Amino acid sequence: MLAYLLILWAWCLHADPREAIEGPAGWLWALIVIVEAIAGFYVCSTILKCADYLLIRREKRTRPPAPPPGAAWPAVGVLYLCCDDFDPEAFESLCGLSYPGPWTLLVHDDGAGAVEERVRVLAGRRGMKAEFFHRPERTGGKPGAVNHVLERIGTRFEYLLFCDNDSFALDPEAIQKALARFSDPRVAAVQFRGVGISSPGDPPARRRLARAVDVFDLFAAHQDRHGMMPFLGHNALVRAGDLREAGGLTPNLLSDDIDLTVRWALSGRTVVYAPEVPFGERVPGSYAAFRLRARKWAFGCGQVIRRHAARVVVSRRLTASQRLGFLEFVGFYAVQVLLLVYLVNAHVLLPLSTLSTGAGVRPSAAGALAGALVLAAIILPTLAFCLKAGRLREWPALAWTCCLVYGSTSFETCRGMLAGLASRRLEWTPTNGAVRRRLLPLACWSELAFGVLLFIVPLAAMPALLLMPVTYLFISNYLFSPIILACYRAGTEPASGLGRLEPRSVGLVLLCVLLALFTACILAAPAAAAEVRVEGDRVLVGGRPFELKGIHYSPWTPGTGPGKEHPYPAPAVIARDLDMIRNANANAILVYDDAPREVFEAAASRGLMVLHVFSINWQTIHDDAAFAARSGDLLAKVEQARSWPNLLAWVLGNEVPEWVYDQRGPDFIAGRIEDLARAVRKRDPAHPITHSNWPITKELRLPSLDIVSFNVYPLWPREVVVRGYESYLRDVLKPLAGGRPLWITEFGISTLETTRESQAATLRRCWEAIRRHAAGGVVFSFADEWWKNYDNPIGPDDFWKREHAPRDEETHDLDPEEYYGITDQARSPKPAYHAVAGMFRERVLPASALFLAPLLLLMTYTVFVFTRRA
């Protein structure tokens, strides 16, 4: 219990308490945390069971001695139940029991077939006699059949060996070995160890599931030592007097065995486990039968919970471990219901609810721990069993088969549990024979659609969910349901419509579905996310890490420019430019505050985030009135643009001139920027704030800003050239960031100072350094422009010695500032454009495609496991 509480503490950290209280998703968060807390008990319990199973040595039991002189072996009745599903191999194995005392085969047939003659022939071969029972009216299900036999045999037998139609006696001395356990008068039944039986002609899925029957030994051993060992209704030796005293089995109760276990426990009787006595059983012969059996078990457990849960909890006769063992055993199927509720909530409703709010789930250590523990709890039982049995080579295929086949019955168990809790009626139907369900293929393909939904919704709205491996197990349970149907078939499934598909055909269909998803993931432009968050030295957009791959976008064409009466370029021009930027694999643009809303909207439709720069007149930064007026204009723009869905961050000013920095001092300038940042954050707390600094004023300290940004060019200033571009980022700027994200908001080189080919190569080298030491960068710039700064160099030898050029936009001068574009003034791509497209795409697949890769691998492995001979 202490371990569970520790895990629960870590698990609850997976959810942000603020998110569980605030917003429209509050109730969904609360329900998710409650379900995780309940599931956490099963996770912890299963892990501890596996450790217990591996570490505890079993007591070795030998054949019991003969009874003392004067005593006789008690009379035993071997009760064999069938209903149109007589299994001659199983029946012959029962005839081979070598019990030295008096024993009789008691065969009850609830079907319409001619079983009696076959029973007499097979029993006669072994020199055995069999009594045959057949009731005129089939009422009360299996309990009614047992009670029918119990009434007619009276007190002739002291013990009854309960056998289903598929029970195999693997040890001829099973009866006398089990009798040794009845030395304690409180023992009402001895439950044998189940062993899976398969035939050579069975499909691989059924043969592996037969091995899964053996794994129940782990759970039975734990319940026997620490909880309430259940009587399972078959493969058990029962004291007939205790059964009669309890009033027999309860008719119309599908978990009559668990019901009897509880009634015995409340009267002081107990069930013990005999792992030294193996008894075989088959798994259902068809997938339809397997799913029906899961629904029956869940239905019966629901009935038992309704009848006995309260009595068990308040009973003083039961120990705490017995009460907990009962609740854990019968509550397993109730947890399956909670699992479906959890999946719908956590993977569908919650992500959908966050699309409009921008809220999200951040991947965390606690979340990773929770997912890892769930996955461990699911696969560890098969691993522990294979380790104990020395069959480790079987484990990978066995574990995956069990996960998918048992996991794919969630909808059936949910139906059964809810019906049982509601006390509805469910007709008792044998599941060891032929079971046909005409709509089963349609149900499986519907579950495939649910599996697609569990993947698509988190992919679009909450990708952090897809970072946990257990998520892929849940998705696979439903997505691969048609494969399970095709692979499990053993001649009893419907042979029409979708049910006729063979395993490899179904695998091909699923492959096409996944490839279609894969193509959509790659081709679809990523939707601009509302939530932008800074976490450590990373920027997260929509809950996922965001590497800034931006391009500085100024749309002014030759003959036009900002700050005059020139109209902003037409929407067609903007659309053409942004198409080129998107084709260059950028995910963001940087614009100045003259950009209208139409630019944001056009960028959003292309999946581009917008980094918005506010220009500040540094020459008048000391003028309080001028600063207040500019602040008012700036904050009005913030009010207008803060709700735009693809806004990435606010940039408060660009490159403080060196003479202003020297004249006013760093403290004064930093104070102005900090005051402005506080005002912006008050109006828009949802978006990060930064300032585009440059090496000249690198000592400017702005501790309240969310992101540290620098404009850094490879050929200037001298300190960058001397150190080298990458060394400057690593050794100078990264320490200045102080654990915050570092953006390089301008980098590039002019083709007036170098060749076009050299520009492309330089951009690639700069980007490699930025990727290693920063959170992204912005290429300067998209296109060559004529107007730059409305000034020009006085001479060709001194770029920084300049004179005012008020009509600068009318001519293309020998100004390096006008040649930084990766396209020329006519938007014709330079080699640098193709270099940027390559470096922004290089080694980076869309995150959605990476999320899909595990499903492709798992689907391939599933087809391999389910079709390869076991």
Side-chain angles (χ1 to χ4, degrees):
M1 185 58 71
L2 177 60
Y4 165 59
L5 292 175
L6 290 173
I7 291 175
L8 178 60
W9 172 76
W11 202 315
C12 287
L13 292 179
H14 179 41
D16 186 340
R18 294 170 299 177
E19 292 174 322
I21 298 172
E22 301 174 358
W27 284 106
L28 296 178
W29 269 116
L31 184 57
I32 286 171
V33 172
I34 291 171
V35 173
E36 287 185 342
I38 296 173
F41 168 77
Y42 278 88
V43 169
C44 182
S45 176
T46 302
I47 294 173
L48 293 178
K49 282 185 179 70
C50 294
D52 182 54
Y53 185 74
L54 289 172
L55 297 175
I56 300 299
R57 290 188 177 183
R58 269 189 181 143
E59 175 188 356
K60 291 186 177 180
R61 291 178 176 266
T62 59
R63 179 179 175 181
W73 290 98
V76 176
V78 178
L79 177 57
Y80 179 87
L81 304 173
C82 60
C83 179
D84 292 326
D85 53 3
F86 179 74
D87 189 327
E89 290 183 78
F91 185 77
E92 280 197 279
S93 74
L94 298 178
C95 294
L97 288 168
S98 61
Y99 178 57
W103 67 286
T104 304
L105 285 166
L106 309 173
V107 180
H108 185 285
D109 175 36
D110 242 344
V115 175
E116 185 172 0
E117 185 60 30
R118 299 175 68 187
V119 166
R120 298 193 189 284
V121 171
L122 291 174
R125 290 178 185 173
R126 295 293 187 115
M128 297 292 302
K129 291 184 178 181
E131 296 183 23
F132 192 81
F133 300 86
H134 183 84
R135 51 183 176 161
E137 293 184 8
R138 198 173 108 179
T139 59
K142 177 182 173 181
V146 173
N147 292 342
H148 176 76
V149 175
L150 200 62
E151 290 175 4
R152 278 151 181 76
I153 63 175
T155 58
R156 290 164 47 199
F157 301 100
E158 191 173 345
Y159 296 94
L160 290 175
L161 176 57
F162 276 65
C163 301
D164 280 348
N165 78 301
D166 61 337
S167 294
F168 283 76
L170 303 179
D171 184 350
E173 300 178 340
I175 296 177
Q176 53 265 47
K177 287 182 178 180
L179 285 174
R181 299 290 192 126
F182 286 97
S183 57
D184 186 343
R186 295 174 301 173
V187 175
V190 175
Q191 184 66 53
F192 302 158
R193 174 169 58 87
V195 176
I197 300 293
S198 61
S199 300
D202 287 346
R206 285 183 60 197
R207 300 189 69 183
R208 289 196 176 90
L209 284 172
R211 295 295 189 196
V213 174
D214 304 4
V215 180
F216 186 74
D217 178 50
L218 182 149
F219 299 95
H222 181 84
Q223 285 286 357
D224 186 49
R225 284 195 295 270
H226 305 294
M228 179 186 290
M229 179 63 206
F231 166 55
L232 301 178
H234 65 288
N235 299 350
L237 191 63
V238 175
R239 201 190 301 267
D242 288 338
L243 180 59
R244 285 192 296 269
E245 185 180 334
L249 300 180
T250 304
N252 296 315
L253 201 64
L254 267 64
S255 282
D256 51 273
D257 42 13
I258 308 301
D259 168 77
L260 180 61
T261 302
V262 175
R263 289 188 285 129
W264 272 337
L266 293 173
S267 64
R269 300 292 189 269
T270 186
V271 179
V272 297
Y273 182 52
E276 73 276 8
V277 183
F279 235 75
E281 61 182 279
R282 298 187 192 274
V283 294
S286 69
Y287 190 43
F290 191 95
R291 290 165 67 102
L292 178 59
R293 188 183 72 173
R295 179 150 61 102
K296 285 173 54 181
W297 285 354
F299 182 90
C301 285
Q303 289 178 310
V304 170
I305 290 173
R306 183 184 177 93
R307 289 170 62 92
H308 294 301
R311 296 174 61 195
V312 168
V313 169
V314 301
S315 174
R316 295 184 178 180
R317 188 157 202 169
L318 301 179
T319 65
S321 61
Q322 284 179 309
R323 291 195 291 267
L324 189 61
F326 164 81
L327 294 175
E328 181 182 8
F329 190 86
V330 300
F332 174 78
Y333 289 108
V335 171
Q336 303 301 306
V337 178
L338 293 179
L339 173 63
L340 271 181
V341 173
Y342 177 83
L343 290 178
V344 172
N345 260 311
H347 290 252
V348 180
L349 297 181
L350 181 63
L352 287 177
S353 72
T354 62
L355 280 176
S356 59
T357 63
V361 171
R362 66 190 69 183
S364 63
L369 172 63
L373 288 173
V374 171
L375 190 61
I378 292 171
I379 67 174
L380 272 182
T382 51
L383 178 60
F385 172 78
C386 288
L387 283 172
K388 189 92 167 181
R391 289 152 53 174
L392 192 58
R393 290 181 62 185
E394 299 179 29
W395 175 70
L398 172 63
W400 190 238
T401 303
C402 292
C403 286
L404 290 190
V405 178
Y406 282 95
S408 67
T409 62
S410 296
F411 282 99
E412 296 289 348
T413 55
C414 184
R415 290 175 57 195
M417 173 58 66
L418 295 177
L421 291 173
S423 195
R424 296 178 183 171
R425 294 294 298 274
L426 179 65
E427 182 181 356
W428 182 80
T429 304
T431 54
N432 292 332
V435 175
R436 291 181 178 272
R437 295 181 65 189
R438 185 169 53 87
L439 297 179
L440 178 58
L442 180 60
C444 290
W445 289 94
S446 300
E447 289 168 8
L448 178 148
F450 182 65
V452 171
L453 187 69
L454 291 181
F455 177 74
I456 288 294
V457 175
L459 178 65
M462 202 174 283
L465 291 171
L466 299 177
L467 297 175
M468 295 192 295
V470 72
T471 298
Y472 291 92
L473 176 59
F474 293 145
I475 294 172
S476 300
N477 282 337
Y478 307 102
L479 191 65
F480 302 155
S481 187
I483 288 184
I484 302 170
L485 169 63
C487 295
Y488 200 118
R489 187 184 304 115
T492 57
E493 300 288 356
S496 62
L498 296 174
R500 285 187 300 191
L501 290 177
E502 294 300 319
R504 295 188 187 277
S505 300
V506 175
L508 183 61
V509 171
L510 274 181
L511 180 61
C512 291
V513 171
L514 292 179
L515 287 177
L517 290 175
F518 187 80
T519 303
C521 290
I522 293 178
L523 296 181
E531 184 199 33
V532 182
R533 184 172 68 246
V534 171
E535 189 176 87
D537 63 354
R538 302 184 305 169
V539 177
L540 278 67
V541 175
R544 72 182 76 176
F546 182 85
E547 181 181 45
L548 176 62
K549 294 184 285 189
I551 293 177
H552 187 288
Y553 179 56
S554 180
W556 302 103
T557 54
T560 66
K564 293 189 176 182
E565 300 301 321
H566 301 297
Y568 206 80
V573 174
I574 297 171
R576 178 198 62 191
D577 291 350
L578 294 184
D579 283 337
M580 293 189 69
I581 290 174
R582 185 71 189 95
N583 291 335
N585 299 307
N587 59 13
I589 57 174
L590 182 148
V591 300
Y592 276 77
D593 51 344
D594 56 353
R597 182 188 182 98
E598 289 72 19
V599 174
F600 280 79
E601 293 173 345
S605 68
R606 292 160 175 80
L608 295 169
M609 303 295 286
V610 177
L611 193 60
H612 191 280
V613 182
F614 288 112
S615 58
I616 295 177
N617 189 343
W618 301 111
Q619 289 87 341
T620 62
I621 193 71
H622 63 286
D623 188 319
D624 291 341
F627 182 75
R630 179 57 184 144
S631 299
D633 295 340
L634 186 150
L635 295 177
K637 181 73 172 185
V638 170
E639 289 283 355
Q640 177 190 9
R642 66 182 181 179
S643 61
W644 293 351
N646 58 330
L647 176 63
L648 179 60
W650 302 112
V651 183
L652 304 182
N654 184 69
E655 296 182 357
V656 178
E658 185 175 13
W659 69 267
V660 174
Y661 183 82
D662 293 338
Q663 184 181 79
R664 301 299 169 188
D667 293 340
F668 178 82
I669 295 172
R672 287 295 205 200
I673 297 175
E674 293 279 355
D675 289 343
L676 197 54
R678 281 191 290 272
V680 171
R681 186 171 285 114
K682 185 176 181 180
R683 285 162 175 78
D684 179 19
H687 293 94
I689 301 173
T690 187
H691 160 74
S692 287
N693 207 340
W694 61 334
I696 300 301
T697 58
K698 65 179 180 294
E699 301 303 326
L700 190 65
R701 296 291 179 260
L702 300 167
S704 73
L705 300 193
D706 305 295
I707 300 167
V708 174
S709 300
F710 274 86
N711 301 339
V712 187
Y713 290 85
L715 299 185
W716 188 90
R718 186 173 182 276
E719 60 179 307
V720 178
V721 179
V722 171
R723 280 183 176 270
Y725 196 84
E726 181 168 2
S727 296
Y728 190 80
L729 298 187
R730 181 188 63 234
D731 301 333
V732 178
L733 299 188
K734 189 69 173 176
L736 288 177
R740 289 176 289 176
L742 173 63
W743 276 347
I744 306 304
T745 39
E746 288 182 17
F747 71 99
I749 189 170
S750 168
T751 51
L752 193 63
E753 299 173 290
T754 188
T755 65
R756 290 190 169 199
E757 289 71 20
S758 179
Q759 180 196 35
T762 302
L763 285 174
R764 280 194 290 263
R765 287 195 299 272
C766 290
W767 178 246
E768 286 295 327
I770 290 169
R771 291 198 70 191
R772 282 191 284 267
H773 305 292
V778 180
V779 172
F780 185 87
S781 63
F782 170 63
D784 291 346
E785 296 179 279
W786 290 10
W787 70 271
K788 292 300 293 189
N789 303 323
Y790 294 108
D791 59 18
N792 281 306
I794 295 175
D797 298 327
D798 190 351
F799 172 69
W800 293 106
K801 190 174 182 181
R802 310 173 73 87
E803 64 181 359
H804 183 54
R807 301 169 65 90
D808 195 16
E809 76 275 15
E810 297 178 2
T811 58
H812 209 17
D813 308 298
L814 294 180
D815 182 352
E817 284 276 355
E818 297 182 10
Y819 293 85
Y820 272 88
I822 58 175
T823 67
D824 63 20
Q825 68 274 12
R827 272 44 174 184
S828 296
K830 299 180 184 179
Y833 176 86
H834 304 291
V836 168
M839 72 193 195
F840 280 172
R841 182 184 60 241
E842 190 176 15
R843 298 190 305 274
V844 179
L845 276 173
S848 52
L850 296 177
F851 288 140
L852 189 61
L855 286 181
L856 288 168
L857 293 174
L858 290 175
M859 193 276 293
T860 304
Y861 183 66
T862 299
V863 174
F864 171 77
V865 165
F866 277 62
T867 56
R868 182 170 177 265
R869 187 172 179 82

